[in-house]
Amino acid sequence: MALKKDKDILILLGNNIRKARIKYNLTQAQLAFEANLTREFINKVETGKYNISVKKLSLIAECLGIKLKDLF
């Protein structure tokens, strides 16, 4: 049961990152460049396939100009 909940959280988080990225008219490649990550990494985070670290999540929020809490 916990695994399903964990996956649901990753999907929710990824969807929120995607919405924020689109709101600011950024492509995955542009966000990746700003955060010094790869586009593939951003894609896997947005689709809930990666369990992103808080440090990288904070970096993405900073690049999007939003607070970390707003991604949840």
Side-chain angles (χ1 to χ4, degrees), residues 2-70:
L3 286 177
K4 178 149 175 43
K5 255 188 175 177
D6 291 347
K7 185 67 175 167
D8 291 344
I9 291 168
L10 294 177
I11 290 170
L12 174 66
L13 180 61
N15 285 337
N16 289 343
I17 291 170
R18 180 183 302 112
K19 286 176 190 174
R21 177 180 59 75
I22 290 169
K23 179 180 177 183
Y24 293 104
N25 294 317
L26 293 172
T27 65
Q28 287 181 344
Q30 290 168 321
L31 177 57
F33 178 80
E34 291 296 320
N36 198 28
L37 300 168
T38 66
R39 189 206 57 81
E40 292 80 11
F41 182 86
I42 297 295
N43 178 270
K44 296 212 183 234
V45 169
E46 286 186 357
T47 57
K49 293 178 181 165
Y50 275 170
N51 187 356
I52 187 170
S53 70
V54 173
K55 186 175 181 177
K56 287 183 180 175
L57 186 59
S58 178
L59 182 59
I60 288 173
E62 183 180 328
C63 290
L64 291 170
I66 60 177
K67 295 180 180 175
L68 183 60
K69 69 177 183 134
D70 293 335

